[in-house]
Amino acid sequence: MIKSLRGMNDILSEDYQRFTHFIDTATEIAKRYGYHFIETPLLEETSLFKRSVGDSSDIVSKEMYQFIDKGDNDVCLRPEGTAGVVRAFVQKKLDKAGGIHRFFYHGPMFRYERPQKGRLREFHQFGVESFGVESVYEDASMIMMVSDILNALGIGYRLQLNSLGCNECMPPYRQNLVNFVKSVEDKVCDDCIRRLDTNSIRVLDCKNPTCQTLYRDAPKLINSLCASCNDDFNKLTEILKENNIEYEIDTNLVRGLDYYSKTAFEFVSDNIGSQSAIAGGGRYDRLVEFLDGKPTPAVGFAMGIERLLELIDMPQTKRDGYYMGALDEEAIDLVVKLTQSKRKTHIVTLDYKAKNLQKHLKAADKADAKFCCVIGSNELNNGTIWIKNLQEKTEEIIKIEDF
Ligand code: HAM
C-alpha cells in the first residue's frame, strides 16, 4: 500500500470542518483590520529563502525541500509565507508605489523537520504581512489581531514579547553575547559553539538544559537597546496594557528566522505539548531592501493551523439539507430527478439503492440531513413524497409538484 509521506497528513471531513471554521474566522477578522487576500506560489527560487530566512537558520540549512527542476533552476517548496509575499510586493512594484499595503494568506508550508506531535513536514499557516507602517501601533494592532482570532475560537494563550533591536544596537549586543558564551565555552553544547560563528543570537534559543541555565546570566538585549528601540518597545507594552492584552517579556525569544528586527512575539498554548508555539511574528524593516526593493517598514505574523485545530471550540453543527431515497427500484429514476432539481438550492445526499425506510432514516441521520425524503411504489402511484423533519421529529406527505 502506498502511504502518505512521513509528517504529511490527509485532511478529512471532521478536521476539514475545524479547518474551514478557523480560516473563515481568521479571514473575517483580518478583513476587519483592513487586510486583503494574497496567494503566492508554493514553489520559489531557493535563493529567495536563503536571502530572507537566512542561510544559517535551521529552516534553510537543514529543512528545505530543495531540488533542481527540469530547467536547471534551483527551487524549493516554501518553508514559510513571508518571503514569497515580500517577493510579490517588490515584483509588483508596490514598494515604489508607496503607501500602506496589508495582505493575508493561508496555505501549506514545507519543512523537513523531525515529525512529532504538533510538528509536521507539511503544515498550514494563516499569516498576515503589513508594509509601509513604521509606527509601533501597527505591531500592537497585529498582536491584537492574533488575540482577537484566538479569543473568537475560544483558545487560551500566553503572549511572549521581546525586542531584537536594530542595526545600531544589535551588532554591539551580539559581540557582548559572543564574549559571554566564549567565557563559558567549555560548558556549552556543540550546537551553541557552531552557532557562535553563524548565527550567534540563536544560542539564546538553545533547548539544552545546561546551556539554558548558563544563559540566565548572559547579557540581555532588552537592556542594551538604543533609545529609539527602547522607546518603541515601551510604547508597545503601554498600548498592549491599555488594550488589556497580557504579555510576558521573554528576553531569550529570538525567533528562528533571520529577518526580524525590533518587535518579536510568540503566542504559546499550555495545552498542546512541547510544540507550544501557535503563532509567531514580528517586525522586519530590512527585508524588502534585502530582496532588492525600496526600504519599506514591515511587520507580520503566522499561525500554525494544525496546532490550533485541537484547541478550537467548534460550534454545534446544525442539521442541514435533504436526504433522498427510494423504497422500491421503480422509484429510483424519480428520486434522482427530484434530487437534481433540489440541488440547485440545497445540499442533497442521495442513495441510489432501494432500501427500507429504517435504513434510509439511519443514513439520513448519519448524513446530518434535516429532511429525510423517500418515495416507494405507493407514493409513485399517488404522486406524493414522504418527508420526515429529523430536527423537529415531524412527518408529512406532500404532492410531488409541491416538493
Ligand atoms: P514561524 O514561527 O516559523 O514563523 O511559524 C509560525 C507558526 O507556524 C508557528 O508558531 C507554528 O504554530 C507553525 N509551525 C511552524 N513550523 C511548524 C511545523 N513543522 N509543524 C506545524 N506547525 C508549524 C514564520 O513562519 C514567519 N513567516 C511568521 C511571520 C510572518 N513573521 C512575519 N510575518
Side-chain angles (χ1 to χ4, degrees):
M1 191 206 336
I2 299 173
K3 292 187 176 167
S4 64
L5 296 173
R6 233 184 125 215
M8 300 200 178
N9 287 341
D10 304 306
I11 302 171
L12 283 109
S13 183
E14 200 189 313
D15 275 345
Y16 178 70
Q17 278 177 26
R18 286 174 181 276
F19 204 95
T20 46
H21 178 57
F22 170 80
I23 298 285
D24 291 349
T25 308
T27 298
E28 152 112 32
I29 292 173
K31 283 184 180 167
R32 279 190 223 152
Y33 278 77
Y35 285 74
H36 300 279
F37 183 69
I38 184 168
E39 170 105 42
T40 63
L42 265 56
L43 203 59
E44 298 267 6
E45 273 186 35
T46 301
S47 58
L48 172 65
F49 301 105
K50 288 192 170 180
R51 272 164 69 180
S52 53
V53 178
D55 256 331
S56 60
S57 65
D58 283 355
I59 294 180
V60 170
S61 63
K62 302 183 193 160
E63 297 168 3
M64 294 222 287
Y65 279 87
Q66 182 183 356
F67 59 96
I68 305 295
D69 74 5
K70 291 190 169 79
D72 261 350
N73 304 299
D74 186 349
V75 295
C76 75
L77 288 172
R78 63 181 184 193
E80 60 102 53
T82 310
V85 175
V86 176
R87 192 232 356 99
F89 176 77
V90 175
Q91 190 172 338
K92 299 276 177 217
K93 300 191 171 44
L94 299 175
D95 54 332
K96 311 265 176 343
I100 298 168
H101 303 268
R102 296 189 175 102
F103 302 104
F104 73 90
Y105 53 89
H106 48 82
M109 309 291 158
F110 301 84
R111 296 184 192 175
Y112 196 86
E113 294 191 81
R114 196 171 46 78
Q116 65 175 90
K117 186 171 181 290
R119 189 160 69 194
L120 295 161
R121 287 182 174 168
E122 182 190 22
F123 59 98
H124 294 75
Q125 283 186 345
F126 179 92
V128 316
E129 314 294 348
S130 154
F131 299 94
V133 186
E134 209 173 349
S135 161
V136 75
Y137 277 103
E138 190 74 348
D139 311 35
S141 150
M142 199 143 276
I143 289 172
M144 291 194 269
M145 193 193 322
V146 183
S147 166
D148 279 358
I149 295 173
L150 295 174
N151 288 339
L153 295 164
I155 297 175
Y157 65 81
R158 280 187 297 116
L159 164 63
Q160 301 177 329
L161 268 190
N162 196 16
S163 172
L164 296 175
C166 64
N167 260 346
E168 198 184 309
C169 48
M170 176 49 104
Y173 167 75
R174 192 181 282 125
Q175 192 51 53
N176 280 344
L177 182 66
V178 169
N179 294 344
F180 171 84
V181 178
K182 285 196 169 150
S183 73
V184 288
E185 198 164 26
D186 47 334
K187 300 193 192 87
V188 301
C189 72
D190 292 347
D191 264 355
C192 284
I193 299 291
R194 196 176 38 80
R195 282 190 177 128
L196 274 191
D197 294 329
T198 53
N199 195 351
S200 46
I201 186 103
R202 287 223 66 205
V203 298
L204 294 174
D205 203 20
C206 181
K207 300 289 176 280
N208 179 308
T210 315
C211 298
Q212 277 183 358
T213 314
L214 286 168
Y215 299 151
R216 277 191 207 134
D217 298 327
K220 313 261 178 275
L221 177 56
I222 208 101
N223 300 330
S224 325
L225 295 175
C226 64
S228 153
C229 288
N230 201 38
D231 287 351
D232 274 357
F233 193 67
N234 288 338
K235 184 67 196 173
L236 174 64
T237 54
E238 202 180 286
I239 305 168
L240 294 178
K241 274 187 214 143
E242 274 294 308
N243 287 278
N244 301 318
I245 307 279
E246 287 182 22
Y247 60 85
E248 304 158 7
I249 294 178
D250 178 355
T251 52
N252 287 349
L253 177 69
V254 290
R255 309 272 302 126
L257 309 97
D258 285 359
Y259 46 64
Y260 294 109
S261 53
K262 298 192 175 178
T263 309
F265 60 86
E266 262 177 20
F267 284 74
V268 295
S269 161
D270 294 326
N271 302 320
I272 49 168
S274 66
Q275 297 304 308
S276 59
I278 47 180
R283 189 160 270 284
Y284 53 93
D285 288 346
R286 285 167 297 170
L287 185 53
V288 175
E289 196 180 353
F290 279 168
L291 294 178
D292 305 322
K294 195 172 149 198
T296 308
V299 54
F301 73 79
M303 313 177 84
I305 301 180
E306 281 82 356
R307 289 188 191 171
L308 293 167
L309 288 191
E310 58 185 290
L311 299 169
I312 291 177
D313 256 353
M314 275 299 280
Q316 202 70 25
T317 45
K318 276 218 201 111
R319 292 188 171 280
D320 192 13
Y322 290 75
Y323 170 94
M324 305 281 296
L327 298 171
D328 305 293
E329 287 283 326
E330 52 186 333
I332 293 177
D333 282 341
L334 179 59
V335 165
V336 171
K337 198 168 164 212
L338 291 174
T339 296
Q340 277 314 102
S341 82
K342 240 333 167 228
R343 275 190 177 145
K344 296 199 167 41
T345 47
H346 292 86
I347 299 170
V348 187
T349 313
L350 164 67
D351 195 321
Y352 297 113
K353 280 199 183 133
K355 285 182 186 155
N356 69 33
L357 183 59
Q358 284 319 311
K359 285 190 177 155
H360 279 312
L361 283 168
K362 217 167 152 188
D365 183 48
K366 206 168 158 206
D368 271 334
K370 185 170 175 191
F371 298 102
C372 176
C373 314
V374 294
I375 301 178
S377 29
N378 279 348
E379 286 77 13
L380 262 188
N381 289 338
N382 299 335
T384 56
I385 180 162
W386 182 89
I387 303 177
K388 177 161 184 171
N389 182 326
L390 296 171
Q391 201 157 289
E392 321 230 313
K393 313 260 184 268
T394 53
E395 299 170 21
E396 64 177 333
I397 294 170
I398 62 166
K399 286 268 167 214
I400 283 181
E401 57 264 32
D402 298 333
F403 181 63

